[in-house]
Amino acid sequence: TIYECPTDLNAMCDLAKIADLVLLVVDGAFGFEMETFEFLNMCQVHGFPRIMGVLTHLDSFRNMATLRRTKKVLKQRFWTDIYEGCKLFYLSGLKHGRYPKHEVSNLARFISVMKFRPLIWRNTHPYVLADRMEDVTPPAAVQRDPLTSRSICLFGYSRGTFLKPQMKVHIPGLGDYYMAEVTALEDPCPLPEREGVRRRLNAKEKRLFAPMSNLGDITYDADAVYVDIPDAAVRFSDVSKRARKGDGDADGDGDGDGDGDGDGD
């Protein structure tokens, strides 16, 4: 699960508790910001997960000597705050709105083989990073009393130990609550089943599960869900054929003969 941390102290504190790997993205042209050191402080308090730095916007440097000097200074500062030898990646710059493919591939390959240090507190406590939420409160109850107690369903991957019904959980920003029910669902984004070691995935196997993030063809609004259908996939009925078929059914000839004699007094 990939989560982008906003520059908010509350969000930093929540993510520092559950992150297995932290990618610190630093603007190479600007340098380290105050939020970077604040997040490193929080990570040290909550167990210090694996941290890897990523320098961006290096294409803004025109002088190669200045670029090499800036890389050296930032790397030494990075090692001072974390540990000597901490991995630091360099992304040259955006091309047509994207980073170079080979640089992103090297970064992803390094992440895939990285080994994480087990943290005792996380392995003994269950926790869930909720990526989707549904309000299942009856609409009639909400209409009668807008301030009524709500019933919600949270979806996400469970980590640590197992969750049990009626277990007391803490929701950041809301408080402590008891869970009424826990249900195991199928993985919405399973791994490919093909065996063997491969260096990359096919186009059909590159799956992305990002609910409530407005990525892909589904967009969430406050009270509706919109599905974007590409123009190439839209198929309309031929109006001219339907019109001709309707005219053929409407026009028809009929013949009928009838004889009848009647006498009446």
Side-chain angles (χ1 to χ4, degrees):
T1 303
I2 301 176
Y3 195 91
E4 182 180 359
C5 180
T7 56
D8 180 70
L9 290 179
N10 296 323
M12 291 181 187
C13 184
D14 295 335
L15 287 177
K17 298 177 182 179
I18 63 172
D20 297 316
L21 171 65
V22 176
L23 294 178
L24 281 178
V25 182
V26 180
D27 188 349
F30 185 82
F32 291 101
E33 300 182 27
M34 184 58 65
E35 290 80 6
T36 305
F37 300 111
E38 290 175 349
F39 189 75
L40 287 176
N41 251 342
M42 295 179 184
C43 289
Q44 291 175 356
V45 174
H46 294 101
F48 212 80
R50 293 298 300 270
I51 294 180
M52 190 164 53
V54 180
L55 289 182
T56 60
H57 295 87
L58 298 179
D59 54 342
S60 59
F61 291 92
R62 303 301 179 186
N63 191 349
M64 295 304 298
T66 305
L67 176 59
R68 286 194 297 268
R69 185 171 60 254
T70 302
K71 285 183 178 180
K72 184 177 179 180
V73 171
L74 292 178
K75 183 170 66 174
Q76 293 296 332
R77 187 69 177 89
F78 197 67
W79 287 3
T80 302
D81 283 284
I82 303 176
Y83 63 87
E84 188 172 351
C86 184
K87 192 63 179 178
L88 188 63
F89 271 88
Y90 306 103
L91 298 180
S92 58
L94 295 174
K95 295 181 180 179
H96 306 290
R98 296 184 177 183
Y99 291 106
K101 190 174 182 180
H102 65 280
E103 295 180 356
V104 177
S105 179
N106 292 336
L107 177 60
R109 189 176 297 121
F110 190 85
I111 294 175
S112 63
V113 300
M114 181 177 291
K115 295 181 180 180
F116 300 100
R117 180 171 60 91
L119 301 177
I120 298 177
W121 193 91
R122 296 186 187 180
N123 293 337
T124 56
H125 293 77
Y127 59 96
V128 176
L129 173 60
D131 52 28
R132 184 161 62 96
M133 186 270 291
E134 291 184 4
D135 189 356
V136 295
T137 310
V142 179
Q143 188 175 5
R144 288 194 303 268
D145 184 11
L147 301 179
T148 185
S149 299
R150 300 297 183 98
S151 299
I152 61 174
C153 292
L154 298 176
F155 300 83
Y157 290 95
S158 177
R159 298 174 173 85
T161 57
F162 299 99
L163 291 171
K164 299 179 181 179
Q166 304 303 324
M167 179 183 289
K168 195 173 185 179
V169 296
H170 175 75
I171 302 178
L174 295 179
D176 298 334
Y177 297 89
Y178 289 95
M179 293 187 299
E181 186 179 356
V182 179
T183 306
L185 304 177
E186 295 184 0
D187 192 350
C189 191
L191 296 175
E193 298 180 355
R194 186 180 301 176
E195 298 180 356
V197 180
R198 294 174 297 165
R199 298 178 65 89
R200 62 183 61 188
L201 298 175
N202 297 330
K204 295 182 179 180
E205 296 173 340
K206 295 180 181 179
R207 301 175 181 178
L208 177 63
F209 178 70
M212 311 299 292
S213 59
N214 295 337
L215 291 177
D217 300 330
I218 300 179
T219 304
Y220 290 89
D221 202 352
D223 55 353
V225 180
Y226 302 94
V227 180
D228 182 21
I229 302 177
D231 295 338
V234 178
R235 298 290 183 271
F236 294 102
S237 302
D238 194 344
V239 181
S240 59
K241 291 183 179 179
R242 294 183 60 183
R244 288 197 298 269
K245 185 178 179 181
D247 293 342
D249 295 339
D251 296 339
D253 296 332
D255 297 330
D257 296 333
D259 296 331
D261 296 332
D263 297 332
D265 296 330

